[in-house]
Amino acid sequence: MGDSLLITEVRPWGGDPVDVLVEDGAVAAVAATGASTTAAERVDGAGRLILPALSDVHLHLDSSRLGLPFRAQTGEPGRWGRIMNDREHWRGAERSVTERASFTLAVAVANGATRIRSHAQVDADTGLAKLEGELAARERYADVCDVEIVAFPQVGILLEPGVVDLMDAALAAGADLVGGMDPCELDRDPVRHLDAVFGLAEKHQAGVDIHLHEAGELGLFTLSLIVERVRALGMAGQATVSHARCLASGLPGVPGAIERLAEYDIALTHAAGAQGWALPLLDLAAAGVRVGVGMDGQRDYWSPYGNGDMLDRAWQLAFVNGFGSDQHVEHALAVATWGGASVLDRSLRPLDLSDTHPGFAVGDPAEFFLVDAVSPAAAVMDRPAARTVIHRGAVVSVDTAIEGFEIPGRFGREGS
């Protein structure tokens, strides 16, 4: 990759046309179009919109069936039924974990996502097989995207023997963070569950990312226990809570919980859930809480949704939150781009309602995508297929023509 890149005549967040100079993978200057600048490489922006790269920060690469034949949902209703449905069928998928994770990554990058956090299931049934598949996919695409992997105990930590040891082995093998899953509802022992999660985090000097589907007062209680651990262990800025459905409850305890998340820099990720799951995005931004969004599972044994396009997920995020103004739609896009980036890299400032145009200050990472749209809101509504993707200051491209896989629907190659 070149050391410098000049991106000419582009409109950051829909503003006036400028030239963006990138050096050593970071923004070096933003100047009026046509200013005399030398660079090793040039990209003609042709008046297109330039935005921070999309960030898929809640993904399950190991379960994705994106690109495989559509499969009717067979699982029993509820979380446990879906967990068992995955367990029953994942070995019979038409392609291996590595192949499925690789295709999903290829599609994500082609659509403009260069920063990804994925959960790799670790349990008595899968062992480290799914982690190994994700590690192989990460290695395959290491030049075009950055991927963090969470060792994820989807079936709980205490319900089956040996899971803590498997999680320990997963972290030693290359997982970046320690996962958790509904300490009260699933394991029915939040103290032991969190003892295991934070004990592994301390041993491996790793962050944590805990799935918290628990709703209402129960979820707020569990969230308070997580905050207590973060405070007691001095882990501010090293924890993430996924979904945090309890914050969608409207209960009196929600504002205080949001304040504590901000105080200890505990980030949130979610999947743009609908009624009962939609996080109070504007309240979270006003408090300075880091929030990102992701595809979650895609066409897998849990859900028929997902298409590998985080711009599409930004549309969904705006829709389920009832956002109609350009400003609010743009905030949904900011969550899907810079918001997720700030979850992964705590040196980046979180989104602020007073400034929804991050990513182009000198020193910001040169992670961008260019798209032909009149404004950020229009980009979310139209989701144009043609995109130029820039990772670590260089234009990247990914071949999504992988044998045995086909991008579904209007996102397929014939329509692009």
Side-chain angles (χ1 to χ4, degrees), residues 108-119:
V109 175
N111 282 319
T114 65
R115 296 177 275 212
I116 290 165
R117 178 181 288 179
S118 178
H119 299 263

Side-chain angles (χ1 to χ4, degrees), residues 89-125:
H89 294 289
W90 73 273
R91 287 185 175 85
E94 296 89 330
R95 291 290 186 271
S96 69
V97 172
T98 297
E99 291 171 312
R100 291 186 283 115
S102 294
F103 180 76
T104 302
L105 272 183
V107 174
V109 175
N111 282 319
T114 65
R115 296 177 275 212
I116 290 165
R117 178 181 288 179
S118 178
H119 299 263
Q121 186 173 336
V122 176
D123 62 28
D125 173 64

Side-chain angles (χ1 to χ4, degrees), residues 9-24:
E9 197 186 349
V10 284
R11 297 177 296 116
W13 291 99
D16 295 333
V18 296
D19 292 349
V20 178
L21 176 64
V22 172
E23 293 178 347
D24 299 322

